Amino acid sequence: MSSDTAESTPLETFADLGIAADIIEGLTDLGYQKPLEVQIAAIRLILEGRHVSLRSKTGSGKTAAFGIPLIQKLTSTIQKPAVLVLAPTRELAGQIAAELTGIGHHRKIEVVAVYGGASISDQINKIKAGVQIVVGTPGRLLDLVRRRVLKPDTFKAVVLDEADEMLSMGFYEDVTSLMDGCTNCEQVVILSASLDEDTKSLVDRYTSDVVRIDLSADVLSVDGIHNIYYTIGDELPRHHYLLHVMAVEKPSSAIVFVNTRKDASLVATLMAREGLQTEMISGELPQKERERVMAAIRSGELRPGRARDRYQRFVARDQLQPA
Ligand code: AMP
């Protein structure tokens, strides 16, 4: 870890980090017993009001690392949105909002997630009813600013999550336009897996005397996750090898990431045709459908199911080995 002020001493509990009892109650409900490394590194600095640029591994607990201290500074009596969190995708915005809601539950902190593809009037009603935290994707946030439902000058703290991802998706202008409007912002937290030129320029533009925390250590995986890669031949159309991998690994459930919507549709059709219970999710799916698919994944409803025997035979002819 490198940081210009953070000397991390081994702190065992959230209370050691100065977290209040009602927030700890929310953390206990979520099953968080002890702070993770990224939380130990960031919580006190954010509580102190420092600007923070945080580089850490995906899945390391970074949402709570900024969520816990920012929520601790809020009360349910604050009338106007005080914390803005920008995220590159609808799913991430939804996940962040759910986690922040859990953390702030006993303090009665209200969180709204705003993103395209979902009813804007529901989002407007929620904001008007009174929220302290707004989590959203840049396009929908700008839309709400243009409609004067959101006034960026009410935000005291702004978080950019997956900043590098957001910029690589072409959101630079939207992000800077939103941030430029946050004229009363006192604290900026920027989270990013990489610190490329665009992200650095964002850090320079919106923070001064920033504390940089780097926990990435050039490791791309999270402890406890077993990574395997397969080399494939060219005897079969490329996507067919996936069926072999499924037969070798026998996952109880699986998520397949592909590059394009066309590939998503192709792979989903191929797997479904082979008898695997498969759902496709991509940007062109209506939001309700995306949420239905995500819920099916979470509940464990999507299982490979009945095609197994067939696969075993398929694989016996042409088994792939982990490389
Ligand atoms: P994130 O990096 O924010 O995506 O978090 C990764 C996962 O870690 C999420 O599923 C969180 O619910 C979980 N998590 C975050 N903080 C803690 C904690 N202190 N103890 C246990 N799990 C945690």
Side-chain angles (χ1 to χ4, degrees):
M1 185 188 114
S2 74
S3 146
D4 64 2
T5 64
E7 277 300 317
S8 67
T9 46
L11 292 166
E12 286 297 309
T13 66
F14 285 113
D16 290 338
L17 292 170
I19 301 306
D22 57 345
I23 307 285
I24 293 179
E25 225 180 311
L27 298 174
T28 308
D29 294 348
L30 291 171
Y32 303 175
Q33 302 297 336
K34 286 181 175 182
L36 302 177
E37 187 188 11
V38 64
Q39 293 155 5
I40 291 172
I43 283 177
R44 248 191 334 201
L45 291 164
I46 299 177
L47 276 179
E48 283 167 13
R50 300 292 306 265
H51 294 301
V52 171
S53 155
L54 178 64
R55 214 179 144 199
S56 74
K57 292 174 258 182
T58 303
S60 57
K62 58 194 172 59
T63 309
F66 68 79
I68 294 168
L70 290 179
I71 288 173
Q72 168 136 323
K73 295 180 186 201
L74 297 174
T75 65
S76 60
T77 53
I78 296 173
Q79 302 290 321
K80 293 176 179 160
V83 174
L84 173 65
V85 183
L86 279 94
T89 64
R90 303 163 185 188
E91 278 75 21
L92 184 61
Q95 275 171 36
I96 296 170
E99 189 163 346
L100 300 187
T101 302
I103 296 170
H105 177 71
H106 294 279
R107 198 169 272 211
K108 300 191 169 46
I109 298 301
E110 292 292 334
V111 185
V112 65
V114 300
Y115 42 72
S119 157
I120 196 162
S121 51
D122 289 352
Q123 296 169 2
I124 292 173
N125 289 340
K126 176 109 204 240
I127 293 167
K128 286 189 169 160
V131 297
Q132 286 79 41
I133 304 178
V134 178
V135 186
T137 50
R140 176 56 61 97
L141 283 165
L142 270 183
D143 193 354
L144 290 163
V145 170
R146 285 193 200 104
R147 291 170 190 242
R148 299 188 184 282
V149 176
L150 280 181
K151 299 188 180 63
D153 62 358
T154 68
F155 294 112
K156 297 276 190 279
V158 178
V159 179
L160 303 182
D161 198 4
E162 298 198 356
D164 51 348
E165 193 67 23
M166 207 143 48
L167 299 184
S168 75
M169 286 167 76
F171 284 130
Y172 191 89
E173 302 216 322
D174 287 359
V175 170
T176 50
S177 154
L178 278 164
M179 303 262 311
D180 288 345
C182 297
T183 47
N184 292 313
C185 175
E186 293 159 1
Q187 187 170 26
V188 176
V189 178
I190 298 183
L191 301 104
S192 192
S194 65
L195 267 183
D196 51 29
E197 280 311 308
D198 283 349
T199 314
K200 272 193 203 126
S201 91
L202 213 61
V203 174
D204 292 344
R205 182 162 164 171
Y206 295 106
T207 65
S208 55
D209 196 18
V210 64
V211 187
R212 293 175 204 275
I213 302 173
D214 187 347
L215 297 170
S216 60
D218 294 319
V219 178
L220 292 174
S221 62
V222 177
D223 293 343
I225 294 182
H226 182 49
N227 296 287
I228 299 172
Y229 78 93
Y230 289 84
T231 49
I232 58 168
D234 52 12
E235 301 85 24
L236 293 172
R238 203 161 54 92
H239 295 312
H240 287 249
Y241 285 99
L242 210 50
L243 299 171
H244 296 240
V245 171
M246 295 291 283
V248 173
E249 296 294 338
K250 301 184 188 64
S252 57
S253 65
I255 298 180
V256 180
F257 290 95
V258 294
N259 274 342
T260 63
R261 290 170 184 182
K262 198 167 146 237
D263 275 352
S265 162
L266 188 69
V267 168
T269 308
L270 183 68
M271 294 198 140
R273 206 171 57 213
E274 291 299 326
L276 290 167
Q277 269 186 37
T278 313
E279 294 272 10
M280 184 197 70
I281 191 162
S282 79
E284 71 190 4
L285 227 57
Q287 185 60 24
K288 274 225 153 63
E289 266 296 285
R290 291 165 67 141
E291 278 165 15
R292 185 188 63 73
V293 175
M294 291 302 287
I297 293 169
R298 279 196 204 98
S299 68
E301 216 178 278
L302 284 180
R303 298 285 178 204
R306 58 196 156 86
R308 273 238 173 109
D309 290 342
R310 209 146 94 82
Y311 275 122
Q312 293 297 358
R313 291 202 298 278
F314 194 23
V315 165
R317 287 205 311 272
D318 186 12
Q319 177 127 4
L320 288 176
Q321 294 299 332

